[in-house]
Amino acid sequence: MSVELPGKTIYVSFGRFQPPTKGHLDNFNGLSRAAGNNDYRIYLSQTQDSKGDNPLAPESKKGYIKKMMSTHADKIYSGSQWNVIAKCLQHCMVDGYNHLVFMVGSDRVNDMQWVKRSNGKTAKDGTRYYFTTVEVKSTGERDADGDDKKDKKATGGFAISGTKLRVYASLGDEKSFKKGMPSGMNAKLATELYDEIRKNLPVGYAGK
Amino acid sequence: MSDVKQLKHLEHLEDEMLNEGVAGCKKIVQDLQAVRKILGCKGGNAGFLQTKWDGKPAVICGKDPANGFFFVSTKGALNKQPVCCYGHTSIDDNFGKIPDLADKLKQCYDHFKPLGIKGIIQGDLLFVKGAPFDKGGVGSEMIDGVDHWTFKPNTIKYAIPKKHPIGKEVAARRIGVVFHTHYSGPDGRIHHKQLLSELSDKPGIRGESLNASNTVLNIQNDTPVADIGFDHSEEVMFDQTVKEIESECKKCGPFLDELVGLGGGKGNPKGEEKFHIAPYVKSYFNDEVKPKSESQVTANIDQTITQLLAFYDKKMTKFISGYKNGNTIAEKKKLVGESVLFVANHTTEFKALLKLYKKVQSLKQQIIDKLNPLEKDWKMFAKSDSATFETTSHEGYVLHRDGDRVKLVNRLEFSKFNFLFQ
């Protein structure tokens, strides 16, 4: 297309962040860099369960992320009305954005092409969103929400993942857990997060 | 040309392609060829041109077929429920809430009734003696060391030297008007009890032989084209440009028809057409000439497309802001988004269309430039800011051909003045 299409562009990311890690911070920084002068938003999944995959409650998770990644604090959106990606995207559309760039870790670009395919269609839950243009792009980093075992081949066993940190917490390995936190993070806050994860994990959680 | 039964709205020459697609393109070429004959070296009987005067208000008057009484009115006379005033009381009843207008209509009634109008005619009021200058009265002004009468019925201020024969008439008469149109039924006559709304307008008032009047100055508005003509080189250039326009019309025709099919020719789109860009191409061109427009008039076609899309997007954003339900917003945004992509996927066609549109505008301007010096006795001024008047030209011209009409107006200049103080 040689013409300049009108309307605002939004860069969006969505994730579980169980728990938030320095890998997520890399993802957020990649999102911000890609957005440039455009707006960007990070929506938090609302899932919490007792099986150990989602130990943090949404509000608690939001609080940690805002403190841990303060440069992105006003870009964090969390609420029960945005519990699935389609609803988050509809929220952006209603707020007046015409173009969407959905950013995911490099390993998930193919999986998330449905965001483009569903543009203008009604989802199973009845939600509909539409953007004049939709792109699914990589943040340039591996998705820190990804499953280590599944992604091992592709990533060469990347050191940081939510799964790995939950297992460290389950094993009581606070030192290894904290290695996954963003550098310069307040030590007390890191301990609070470690304790909260441990408290919410089932006994013997091994990330399987 | 414009599909108007009564003289409520005239279309710009170049807009016909947006209104009617291929048929509009053909009309443009035929209109240009008619102008060529009118102004050409050999002359011709292809139609005629009238000068558009910027008078106000438009007055319709004559004998009401319903009762034979003389009436005056505004364009309201053409309504399905016509507003006709048969005297001062009737004027107060219908227009009393607008005292300036009521006063003018009373003067019209008093001075036009003795003209012995047999049918129904329409004119634009130029001045009314006794009214303040800013309400349509007459003023006196030294311009370039010459004493002039001036009046400013609407946007343009007209000036005529006091010693000019017309200037002497301005001094002597009570009211100034340009009668330019008459009305009749399908058989060219007005029958007893025929409804006003059934009448059609025809250019000029040739059928009327008005009584001599000591109080009415009736300005003749047939453009005196016999005084000028294209020279050979102008003719060659004009013909060449018309040929280019004709050729480009053929290329753009199918796309123009597609736009018309998508609501392009409609001023007030409904339903899903309301969300397509097609009906907004014409309103964009009306907008870009306004002083407060966010767009600029430019020969750069890429910039014009970008501005057109921005104009459309702003309108759609406003429409869609009225919806609250997310899914409904998605549905409407989809219509808009697909329309934006329609432009993006048809940039070649859109560029050709815009190029053609601007070429017609450019040739039209050459015609206007040729015609403007004809009314050489008059000076025209328009306010360029809150205090300063700058020299301008006539509002434009109306081409009459085969019972149809189209206006030739310098949109940029006239619209600038017209919208500046709204």
Side-chain angles (χ1 to χ4, degrees), chain B residues 267-309:
Chain B
N268 189 18
K270 300 264 190 286
E272 288 199 358
E273 281 179 355
K274 189 175 162 183
F275 293 91
H276 200 279
I277 195 166
Y280 301 99
V281 177
K282 193 169 140 185
S283 36
Y284 164 76
F285 284 117
N286 281 327
D287 178 79
E288 73 166 14
V289 296
K290 294 179 188 173
K292 288 181 182 170
S293 173
E294 290 172 13
S295 310
Q296 288 177 333
V297 177
T298 171
N300 183 323
I301 301 296
D302 287 334
Q303 188 184 339
T304 304
I305 291 189
T306 302
Q307 290 179 167
L308 164 66
L309 284 172

Side-chain angles (χ1 to χ4, degrees), chain B residues 109-237:
Chain B
Y109 182 84
D110 293 343
H111 297 297
F112 295 167
K113 191 176 179 185
L115 295 176
I117 300 163
K118 293 177 186 66
I120 295 168
I121 61 177
Q122 180 174 335
D124 291 320
L125 219 53
L126 294 179
F127 65 81
V128 174
K129 288 279 183 68
F133 181 78
D134 61 349
K135 302 280 184 190
V138 175
S140 175
E141 208 173 315
M142 287 295 283
I143 299 169
D144 299 333
V146 179
D147 215 0
H148 282 72
W149 293 118
T150 56
F151 47 87
K152 186 179 165 295
N154 193 23
T155 304
I156 293 177
K157 180 169 81 174
Y158 295 95
I160 186 84
K162 288 184 178 176
K163 287 185 179 170
H164 188 279
I166 298 175
K168 288 176 184 169
E169 287 200 62
V170 171
R173 309 297 162 87
R174 300 296 306 164
I175 191 165
V177 65
V178 177
F179 286 123
H180 50 71
T181 300
H182 71 280
Y183 286 87
S184 62
D187 59 356
R189 300 169 61 194
I190 299 177
H191 297 278
H192 179 55
K193 301 226 169 180
Q194 189 159 21
L195 297 173
L196 290 173
S197 59
E198 290 175 354
L199 303 179
S200 303
D201 66 290
K202 306 277 187 309
I205 55 163
R206 290 177 175 76
E208 292 283 349
S209 53
L210 303 181
N211 295 334
S213 168
N214 290 326
T215 61
V216 179
L217 171 59
N218 178 17
I219 301 277
Q220 300 302 313
N221 73 324
D222 279 3
T223 311
V225 291
D227 296 350
I228 56 135
F230 286 142
D231 60 32
H232 180 65
S233 62
E234 286 173 329
E235 278 188 341
V236 169
M237 220 165 73

